[in-house]
Amino acid sequence: MKRKPGRQFFANPGPTNIPDSVLLAVAHYSVDFNDPAFIEIYDQAVAGLKRMLRTEADVFLYTASGHGAWEATLSNLFSPGERLLMLETGYFSEGWSAMARKHGLTVQTVGADWRRGVDFPAVAAALREDREHAVKAVCCVHNETATGVVLPLEEIRGILDDTGHPALLLADTISSLGSMDFRMDEWGIDAVVGGSQKGLMLPTGFSFTGVSAKGLQANAQARLPRHYFDWQQMTERRHRSFMGTVPTTLFYGLHESVRLLEEEGLDRVFARHARLGEAVRRAVRAWSGNDGPQLFCTDPGRVSNSVSAVLMPEGHDAEAIRRTALDRYNVSLGGGLGRLGGTVFRIGHLGDLNEPMVLGTLAAVEMSLRVNNVPHAAGGVDAAMEWLAAA
Ligand code: PLP
């Protein structure tokens, strides 16, 4: 591939930009994963990951992307035929449902408009109607990466508590961890899945599940087949994870990325994401004049601080914007997923990111709208600058 001059502005919602010091940490020579010097780094990195998850619970790690963590979580917690209540958010809640069905589970969906995610009264009603407690778990995607919509997990915990339903609460924090507030223990999450390549600013390559004591009890009864992902076998290993070779280089990276996140301070990391996310939203709102592109998320209370999905005006192709941004300006945007293909593009604003990087991306998007004769109101970048200069 011919190199384009300058750095590519990478505005995908995962993988994300990898800080130079993390890249250098990952470029580590091979070590025996049982070498005491590595074990020390590994233990510190996993302890750091737990601080990111805000949990004291067990965390099991796998050499797999997020899909592997989904699968590990389902196969360790459930038995054939058991029922899950999936709260619809979009492409990723559908993907998790499809996986559960293939594992022989029954999936009941609380349906939703993808532009805002489930309504809570519908969730409460589904749990109240389940008098026999057939539903074994409520599953939700905290931050739906395909739509830029966030579900407030503490409210879902509240619904489970108010209805007195004993189901486990499962959450996907793949695109929220390290960029938005997430509190496994405080919010009573029984199993949380995450991955390396988003807010943790690492290469793709490992994923994990944090499991509460209640989750571990369910694991002891669960009969779905599993081997590579078996938590009980993992518990017996020194690393309490990984049924095979441990991807050592990623742990030098995790050790460094946790150090960076804690040096900045998690609260400041979240505030930075909120500020940059709002800058992107202000730009999109400005472009939406003259029947231009709109923010896909319609609920201001549920906008994501890690990704914004942008809905194109009728008859205009989101892929053309992505192609122009990449070919002319070397800016990589995310595409529309599943049924949103061609109508939506996504601006990732999570990870190792600052104001000029966001403004550069927004400028490339605004230029791409012009180049492709997409109706819009000019001034998106100005609106973002105004916000960033004042906030
Ligand atoms: N869940 C969410 C919310 C995601 O954003 C993704 C990937 O982007 C996944 C699950 C699947 O993870 P992976 O692509 O790492 O397998």
Side-chain angles (χ1 to χ4, degrees):
M1 192 167 68
K2 195 162 158 249
R3 181 182 178 273
K4 293 177 182 147
R7 266 216 170 172
Q8 181 175 76
F9 274 35
F10 194 72
N12 262 271
T16 62
N17 295 290
I18 304 174
D20 292 347
S21 67
V22 174
L23 275 177
L24 288 171
V26 167
H28 198 285
Y29 51 83
S30 294
V31 292
D32 181 337
F33 57 84
N34 287 313
D35 186 314
F38 172 71
I39 294 272
E40 197 179 327
I41 293 290
Y42 176 86
D43 285 348
Q44 287 174 12
V46 173
L49 178 61
K50 289 190 190 190
R51 291 194 295 278
M52 298 296 116
L53 289 163
R54 289 186 158 139
T55 189
E56 308 265 308
D58 283 315
V59 178
F60 298 101
L61 297 107
Y62 334 99
T63 309
S65 73
H67 278 82
W70 271 356
E71 183 152 338
T73 305
L74 295 176
S75 64
N76 273 286
L77 289 178
F78 305 111
S79 298
E82 282 187 337
R83 179 178 294 266
L84 309 182
L85 189 69
M86 183 67 71
L87 310 193
E88 186 173 3
T89 44
Y91 179 80
F92 287 106
S93 65
E94 283 200 337
W96 205 4
S97 296
M99 181 185 272
R101 289 196 182 96
K102 281 205 181 151
H103 279 76
L105 299 171
T106 303
V107 180
Q108 180 184 338
T109 303
V110 182
D113 171 355
W114 281 19
R115 296 190 71 176
R116 57 181 317 277
V118 279
D119 290 322
F120 290 142
V123 178
L127 289 173
R128 281 210 181 87
E129 276 160 28
D130 179 35
R131 284 187 202 87
E132 313 287 307
H133 295 164
V135 168
K136 297 299 170 207
V138 173
C139 305
C140 37
V141 175
H142 184 205
N143 184 69
E144 174 55 73
T145 325
T147 61
V149 173
V150 180
L151 283 187
L153 297 179
E154 59 284 36
E155 291 189 38
I156 297 166
R157 173 78 264 163
I159 296 171
L160 274 161
D161 293 346
D162 291 348
T163 53
H165 199 293
L168 298 170
L169 178 56
L170 271 51
D172 170 327
T173 182
I174 288 181
S175 60
S176 55
L177 189 69
S179 54
M180 285 181 267
D181 197 14
F182 181 84
R183 297 163 188 263
M184 175 174 175
D185 293 355
E186 200 179 311
W187 296 347
I189 312 285
D190 294 300
V192 53
V193 296
S196 55
Q197 78 274 24
K198 298 195 193 253
L200 294 176
M201 310 178 294
L202 290 162
T204 310
F206 76 79
S207 56
F208 47 88
T209 314
V211 191
S212 71
K214 186 172 163 189
L216 290 177
Q217 281 166 16
N219 173 237
Q221 312 298 323
R223 284 180 289 103
L224 276 181
R226 55 192 178 264
H227 180 73
Y228 180 68
F229 286 130
D230 187 29
W231 293 343
Q232 288 179 25
Q233 290 197 83
M234 287 183 192
T235 308
E236 288 155 24
R237 294 171 71 89
R238 168 60 186 85
H239 299 75
R240 296 181 64 83
S241 286
F242 297 110
M243 287 303 294
T245 306
V246 178
T248 49
T249 56
L250 291 171
F251 285 88
Y252 291 103
L254 178 61
H255 191 272
E256 174 60 12
S257 70
V258 167
R259 191 192 69 74
L260 292 177
L261 289 166
E262 292 188 331
E263 183 180 76
E264 185 176 353
L266 266 192
D267 290 342
R268 276 193 292 275
V269 170
F270 301 150
R272 172 168 55 84
H273 281 82
R275 225 164 90 72
L276 298 177
E278 179 60 18
V280 171
R281 292 189 289 273
R282 286 184 182 228
V284 179
R285 277 188 215 112
W287 295 328
S288 71
N290 299 332
D291 298 322
Q294 298 169 22
L295 203 59
F296 187 76
C297 178
T298 51
D299 183 342
R302 287 188 177 179
V303 288
S304 164
N305 286 332
S306 67
V307 55
S308 295
V310 182
L311 179 64
M312 293 293 283
E314 190 88 23
H316 291 272
D317 181 13
E319 287 306 294
I321 299 300
R322 291 212 317 135
R323 262 193 313 274
T324 304
L326 187 61
D327 295 349
R328 285 206 188 196
Y329 309 119
N330 204 9
V331 169
S332 178
L333 302 167
L337 295 176
R339 69 164 98 130
L340 303 180
T343 57
V344 156
F345 67 88
R346 292 173 302 148
I347 302 174
H349 36 85
L350 78 160
D352 190 34
L353 209 63
N354 61 19
E355 288 83 351
M357 292 159 87
V358 167
L359 290 170
T361 297
L362 294 174
V365 172
E366 194 162 326
M367 288 189 286
S368 303
L369 294 173
R370 280 192 208 179
V371 168
N372 287 283
N373 295 317
V374 176
H376 67 286
V381 180
D382 286 315
M385 282 197 298
E386 206 170 304
W387 161 254
L388 291 172

